[in-house]
Amino acid sequence: MARRKNTEPAAAAPAPAVGSAVVSAGTGVVKAVGSHVLSRALPYTPPWVAAAVLPPVSGFAVNQLWGDAAMSAGLASAGIALGGVALSALVWKTGDGTSKARKFRRVQATATVAASMGWLTCAVTSGPFGTPMLDLWLLGGALFAASWNARQIMVHGSGSESEETNSGTLGKLAQAISWEKVTVRSAKGTGKGSVQAEIEVAPGGTISAVQSTTAAVAAALHVPPSGVIVTPDPENGARGLVSVRVADLLRDGVEFAFPAALGLDPTAPIPVGLYADGEIWWLDPFGADILQHLLVMGVTGAGKSEFARTVFAHLATRAKLSLHVIDLAKGRQTVGHIAAGIDWLIQDPKEAKRYVRSLPAAIKARGDVLAAEGLDSWTPESSLNAVVTWIEEAADVSDFEELEEIARKARSVGIWLIVSLQRATWGNVSTDIRANLQASACFGVDKPGDASFCLPDSVTDAGAVPAWGSSRPGYGFATGMGIPMDRWTTEARSSLTDRSVLAALVDAATPYRDPLDAATAGALGQTYAQRTHRGTDRTTPGAAETAAKALAWLASAGIGFNSAVPAPGSAAAPATRTPAPAPAAPLPLPAQAAPADFFEDDEMDDDMDATARLEIEDAYEEILGAIPADPESDADYAGLQLEDDVPDVDGGMEFETRERMGTEEARHTLYAELDGWVSQGRLEFSPADLIPATVTTGRQRPWLQGELKRLTEQGVLQKDGHGVYVILHSPLQPA
């Protein structure tokens, strides 16, 4: 029993504490609710305070001042009445506007002023508390206070609805540029150098008509022509967005953005600069849903080279990627300091043409590999490298038909084609090629119409036209390559680059660069095996030492990397990553006699530049092309194709008759001739050059034509549209 007496009070003791906690919690809830209600109601109290205080105070004051004498009361009433009329007129005049909201507010404000001044006029003689002044004050004041509250709720409680405005500066601007039927909503600054506003056209108007006035808007606002952009709303044809750039945040240049790590996959986005609002300008070609080939355009000095160096430097730090650049004009001058990261830099016109002619075979070979790997298109999981082919002034390198075929087929096999030129007119690049170059980067052009050769119509129609020539280097507009569509009309500027820094960056990435995969290298054949420029990669002797020195130099300059992908072959390297094998070098072959090339014995060959040689060769081929291949152009066999058999013709020209060799021996003789040319660096020939070898075998022209066709189908040779063959690899060596 003693235990119970001691324990029961102890058990009952917490009850007051619990009750106190409940009361305290309830009080806290009441306070929180009361505070919330007060904060929500406070913005709506001013009309009620004004209606409750101002009329009685002002009415009592005027009654005490002038209500005792009839004359003073009459004069005061007249003066207050006239003042009320003038004040109401002033409110009506200053409250002009074309939107419905502003018209309603104008009427409401004028009515409130007129009613208040009328009541005050009567209060001079009657006083504020007599009948019917007291009734009018209570009823009228409450009515007007409630009407202002209703308006506040409609304006501020509508969520995303914006108040319409065409007053003030916008109203004057609308009159100046024929925007009377355009409603501008809530113009506001973005805090990033631009002002944006929603626009809506009246029935009968179109956003395209508004877009045609961007030049007039820019002139009225004293901003650059490209500083006014009007983009339509894709969901509503009557609405759009106008953006006015009032400050240039990129005037002082854009610093080069270093990669987050060395050895990234090709699918990592590429930071190439900044947009006008300070956001990063990204390119994401291999990470986008569709690999889109790129057209780069701009006049000399517009910033194309700086843009190219930025892209090249980033790509040269990636794994599983090979960079091929064709620049016949100033290749070394533009990218000589980062040439170590370029797998193949082509500056010779002949070599450039061989490369372009070899690409279809590489595309086919890569397609076969992807099919064997079960892939519909290239991904980083493939054994193939991603390939980037950059061609400067493509019209000087290839004909339109060849380039169009490459652009059409290269996308799915992981070859990103980039064509750069000053003006993409129909004479420089055909419309079919432009249709396959779905991405664009347009820098300064001399004429506004030139931008339409590069940028989509939707971009130029919006006013995004870089018609500033070379006066603003690096500025431009870009589309495609994973760039969001709302960024297509946003002005951007590419990074400024430092030659020594980029050179060190490319050297530091040497251990991460993979050599070109064997399948692609083999398909490119001797054109690739005998390339004049060979970039460095992880298989290059001394790659680790080169990278270490470059990293030390970058560190001394305060440049480092927050993260790093393990170098291939290191202990931390991913076990699943299998580097692509390096292409085998061609076996040395004994020199054999072969027909001399056009320039081989020319004493002036060493003194000629590449352009002069190409011009002479073209003239030579044109002259020879005018000479019939046969002595009788109207003979029965004159119209035969390569694959046709030649009928016997009386009196026709025949080869010298020699003892006929067996098939295998004859083929070996023909293949040895081709192999000898490869060992000497000669990769192009015409069928006539093989006549001596054909005579040696005791065979005739049909046999030669058949063998050339057979070698073409096997991928040993490639024929262009002018009857010239390119040797992709020696027929005596494995592909």
Side-chain angles (χ1 to χ4, degrees):
M1 296 298 293
R3 288 177 179 267
R4 287 185 180 178
K5 290 182 180 179
N6 292 334
T7 56
E8 286 179 0
V18 172
S20 145
V22 171
V23 172
S24 176
T27 303
V29 171
V30 171
K31 288 183 179 180
V33 172
S35 176
H36 176 73
V37 172
L38 181 62
S39 64
R40 299 288 293 179
L42 193 61
Y44 299 97
T45 57
W48 293 95
V49 173
V53 176
L54 292 179
V57 172
S58 58
F60 180 78
V62 296
N63 178 259
Q64 291 297 315
L65 288 174
W66 300 299
D68 293 339
M71 180 175 292
S72 61
L75 292 174
S77 298
I80 294 175
L82 291 175
V85 172
L87 184 59
S88 300
L90 179 63
V91 172
W92 179 266
K93 180 65 176 177
T94 57
D96 61 340
T98 58
S99 67
K100 294 180 180 179
R102 291 193 62 84
K103 289 179 179 179
F104 175 79
R105 186 171 64 178
R106 182 186 192 187
V107 173
Q108 186 182 25
T110 304
T112 301
V113 171
S116 300
M117 296 304 294
W119 184 89
L120 188 62
T121 300
C122 297
V124 173
T125 57
S126 301
F129 306 112
T131 303
M133 300 303 296
L134 180 61
D135 301 324
L136 291 174
W137 166 44
L138 294 176
L139 295 176
L143 178 63
F144 278 105
S147 69
W148 282 100
N149 284 168
R151 182 183 180 281
Q152 285 179 288
I153 294 174
M154 295 298 293
V155 172
H156 300 292
S158 58
S160 61
E161 291 293 328
S162 301
E163 184 179 355
E164 299 177 349
T165 174
N166 262 25
S167 62
T169 303
L170 289 175
K172 296 178 181 178
L173 178 63
Q175 295 178 1
I177 60 177
S178 302
W179 272 19
E180 292 86 353
K181 295 184 178 181
V182 179
T183 300
V184 182
R185 289 188 177 90
S186 59
K188 58 182 179 181
T190 63
K192 298 180 179 180
S194 64
V195 175
Q196 292 183 344
E198 298 177 1
I199 58 174
E200 182 174 348
V201 295
T206 61
I207 295 297
S208 60
V210 180
Q211 289 178 328
S212 64
T213 65
T214 53
V217 177
L221 297 178
H222 298 279
V223 299
S226 62
V228 179
I229 305 297
V230 177
T231 54
D233 185 340
E235 305 295 333
N236 191 331
R239 294 184 178 181
L241 181 70
V242 57
S243 177
V244 181
R245 181 175 55 78
V246 295
D248 187 358
L249 303 182
L250 311 178
R251 181 185 300 273
D252 296 330
V254 177
E255 292 186 2
F256 177 81
F258 287 86
L262 302 177
L264 296 174
D265 283 336
T267 53
I270 308 169
V272 294
L274 295 178
Y275 286 104
D277 57 7
E279 297 294 326
I280 298 178
W281 176 15
W282 296 98
L283 303 184
D284 193 12
F286 291 101
D289 294 335
I290 299 176
L291 178 61
Q292 296 176 313
H293 300 315
L294 173 63
L295 173 61
V296 180
M297 197 181 84
V299 299
T300 300
K304 299 193 305 298
S305 297
E306 200 82 57
F307 173 75
R309 282 191 288 266
T310 299
V311 175
F312 293 164
H314 276 277
L315 295 178
T317 66
R318 305 289 174 91
K320 290 182 68 68
L321 187 143
S322 298
L323 182 57
H324 299 163
V325 178
I326 299 177
D327 190 346
L328 305 183
K330 50 179 184 178
R332 287 284 173 183
Q333 179 183 350
T334 301
V335 296
H337 54 296
I338 57 174
I342 301 175
D343 180 50
W344 192 356
L345 175 59
I346 302 174
Q347 296 179 267
D348 178 68
K350 273 190 172 182
E351 189 175 9
K353 290 187 175 183
R354 291 171 190 159
Y355 174 78
V356 173
R357 291 168 184 169
S358 301
L359 273 178
I363 292 172
K364 182 180 183 302
R366 290 172 65 89
D368 293 341
V369 172
L370 293 175
E373 294 174 342
L375 299 174
D376 293 330
S377 59
W378 181 89
T379 68
E381 287 71 30
S382 171
S383 62
L384 302 174
N385 281 17
V387 176
V388 178
T389 297
W390 184 294
I391 304 178
E392 286 285 341
E393 300 298 336
D396 297 337
V397 176
S398 171
D399 59 38
F400 292 163
E401 184 177 350
E402 287 178 329
L403 204 58
E404 192 273 331
E405 179 185 1
I406 294 169
R408 178 164 41 86
K409 297 180 179 179
R411 181 181 297 108
S412 63
V413 298
I415 297 179
W416 185 29
L417 177 64
I418 305 172
V419 175
S420 175
L421 67 173
Q422 294 188 28
R423 293 181 74 235
T425 60
W426 64 270
N428 293 327
V429 57
S430 70
T431 55
D432 290 337
I433 296 175
R434 283 209 304 265
N436 284 283
L437 302 175
Q438 297 176 321
S440 59
C442 188
F443 298 92
V445 296
D446 287 331
K447 299 178 181 179
D450 290 348
S452 62
F453 295 131
C454 183
L455 296 171
D457 292 341
S458 60
V459 175
T460 55
D461 290 344
V465 179
W468 49 69
S470 59
S471 62
R472 303 177 68 205
Y475 287 85
F477 298 93
T479 68
M481 299 172 290
I483 300 174
M485 290 189 66
D486 59 356
R487 284 290 178 184
W488 290 11
T489 55
T490 304
E491 192 173 288
R493 186 175 187 182
S494 61
S495 304
L496 298 175
T497 61
D498 181 272
R499 288 178 174 266
S500 57
V501 171
L502 292 192
L505 174 64
V506 170
D507 285 343
T510 304
Y512 301 88
R513 285 193 295 272
D514 289 314
L516 183 62
D517 58 272
T520 306
L524 291 174
Q526 293 298 324
T527 306
Y528 181 77
Q530 298 183 2
R531 63 193 186 280
T532 54
H533 169 86
R534 299 168 185 264
T536 60
D537 53 50
R538 59 178 176 77
T539 64
T540 303
E545 293 77 5
T546 300
K549 292 180 181 178
L551 286 172
W553 188 92
L554 290 171
S556 67
I559 301 170
F561 301 95
N562 296 328
S563 60
V565 176
S570 66
T576 56
R577 186 169 181 270
T578 303
L587 298 175
L589 297 172
Q592 299 184 24
D597 193 27
F598 177 65
F599 279 102
E600 285 182 357
D601 297 325
D602 195 332
E603 297 179 355
M604 297 181 62
D605 184 31
D606 294 335
D607 297 329
M608 290 186 181
D609 58 28
T611 303
R613 291 180 58 188
L614 181 62
E615 292 177 352
I616 296 176
E617 285 189 58
D618 289 342
Y620 177 78
E621 293 174 359
E622 181 178 356
I623 294 173
L624 291 184
I627 302 175
D630 297 295
E632 298 177 6
S633 58
D634 56 348
D636 295 337
Y637 55 82
L640 293 179
Q641 301 298 320
L642 176 63
E643 61 273 11
D644 297 334
D645 294 330
V646 179
D648 295 332
V649 181
D650 294 338
M653 182 178 180
E654 297 183 359
F655 291 165
E656 179 183 351
T657 302
R658 293 194 181 184
E659 183 179 355
R660 183 184 180 91
M661 295 182 179
T663 301
E664 293 302 323
E665 185 182 3
R667 284 178 177 172
H668 181 78
T669 301
L670 180 65
Y671 295 173
E673 184 79 0
L674 296 175
D675 186 76
W677 291 348
V678 170
S679 65
Q680 297 175 8
R682 178 182 178 182
L683 301 179
E684 294 176 337
F685 68 92
S686 62
D689 297 331
L690 289 173
I691 291 178
T694 306
V695 171
T696 302
T697 64
R699 302 297 181 119
Q700 298 292 320
R701 180 176 299 176
W703 177 84
L704 173 61
Q705 292 173 336
E707 289 301 312
L708 292 178
K709 179 181 179 182
R710 180 171 175 272
L711 291 175
T712 302
E713 293 174 347
Q714 292 177 351
V716 176
L717 305 178
Q718 183 180 19
K719 181 185 177 185
D720 66 7
H722 306 286
V724 175
Y725 288 84
V726 176
I727 306 175
L728 300 182
H729 60 83
S730 170
L732 294 182
Q733 299 181 39

